Amino acid sequence: MMNTHLLAGGFTDAPAESAIAFRTLLNAMANPGQVQAQPLPLNPPAPMTANTAAAILTLVDNDTPLWLCPTLNNGDIQSFLKFHTGAPITYDVSQAAFVVATTETVPNLKSLPIGTAEYPDRSATLIVQAAGDASGATITLTGPGIRDRQDLQIAGLEDGFWRAAQLNNALFPLGADFIFACQDGIAACPRSVTITMAENEAGGA
Amino acid sequence: MTSTNPASSIPARQRWMSVMAKADWTDLKSAWDHCGHQPAFSLLRKPESGLVMVEGRMGGTGAPFNLGEMTVTRCSVALDNGFTGHAYVMGRNQQHAELAAICDALMQDPAHHDQLEQAIIAPLAEHHAAGKRQASTKAAATKVDFFTLVRGEDE
């Protein structure tokens, strides 16, 4: 019974549902910092959330090595992702195309692939699963896709993460992209935006 | 998942999955209808067709080369008693893929394994082997014996 339950929590109508999830991710990327509601009631094995699963099942396939943080790397989740995506699991962050972590287990951002000058697309996308109740630093985003400025607060992500993200985004056009699977939807912070911390807002970033 | 059941060892499962994948749909269907099973199941993955690149090796041991793409239909089911079945079959017959997946799940169930083995898998395997024997007999009849060419002095 456990097995059935395990594999049944993915897309029930993969072509239509993955298109819905892809549109959610596209809107999130096009409007950095805005949380987009994710309507699909996916049921991945614990402790993975529906929003994290929606991002992974939509973006990951058998050509994209996947790195899972220890919290999200258990036998059930591996079986679930293997069945639905066929992605190879890698234990080397620098080889991963997609890096999935919770806010507590985000790997050192410097270890993520950032692409090359010829192929900036050969970089990693970091998918961060955020818990709902933790506090988090408020940051301000400016740049492509944002009219004036966009505030963003991800539960569980403090200044340390955002400072590392600032360094990552300074590498543009290289660098990793960030997707945040929050409790109420999906937000994104592509490498193209400028991140400003709340306290040094006056000075700029 | 069902590793406690010796009947579900990986080589055994590979064998019956292979037999059902290569079987003729009408043969599989009639054998199944004879069994009269009506298990309750849900689809984990609806039958879907796609292309798979078939690789070959010259002489069976050389470097792999792409032989060509072939149409394959796959399906995954979960029986209500908890067993999960997968199938990849040649061609585009979705019913074939679904039935093969159901059989794969039932074959893992010790309560049904022996009956299905006798009623479905063994006859289909025998049928396939007979076809293979016939083809190789036919091919063997056309074999040229170069030995006689070399000698050429039998008269």
Side-chain angles (χ1 to χ4, degrees), chain A residues 28-33 141-148 172 190-194:
Chain A
M29 275 289 175
N31 301 283
L141 303 177
T142 51
I146 302 167
R147 178 177 281 272
D148 297 312
F172 182 83
R191 68 189 83 167
S192 53
V193 299
T194 304

Side-chain angles (χ1 to χ4, degrees), chain A residues 24-61:
Chain A
T24 306
L25 290 160
L26 201 59
N27 286 343
M29 275 289 175
N31 301 283
Q34 281 184 20
V35 179
Q36 307 286 329
Q38 192 285 113
L40 303 170
L42 302 182
N43 189 19
M48 187 174 276
T49 63
N51 290 339
T52 310
I56 296 175
L57 265 50
T58 305
L59 299 176
V60 174
D61 69 10

Side-chain angles (χ1 to χ4, degrees), chain B residues 47-50 71-75 87-95 97-98:
Chain B
E48 54 190 23
S49 300
T71 313
V72 166
T73 303
R74 67 175 179 180
C75 180
Y88 285 73
V89 304
M90 285 196 288
R92 272 182 292 180
N93 190 334
Q94 303 198 338
Q95 291 172 300
E98 192 176 304

Side-chain angles (χ1 to χ4, degrees), chain A residues 55-80:
Chain A
I56 296 175
L57 265 50
T58 305
L59 299 176
V60 174
D61 69 10
N62 53 0
D63 285 333
T64 54
L66 180 67
W67 184 92
L68 294 169
C69 74
T71 310
L72 294 173
N73 194 352
N74 61 43
D76 286 357
I77 288 179
Q78 282 201 14
S79 305
F80 179 81

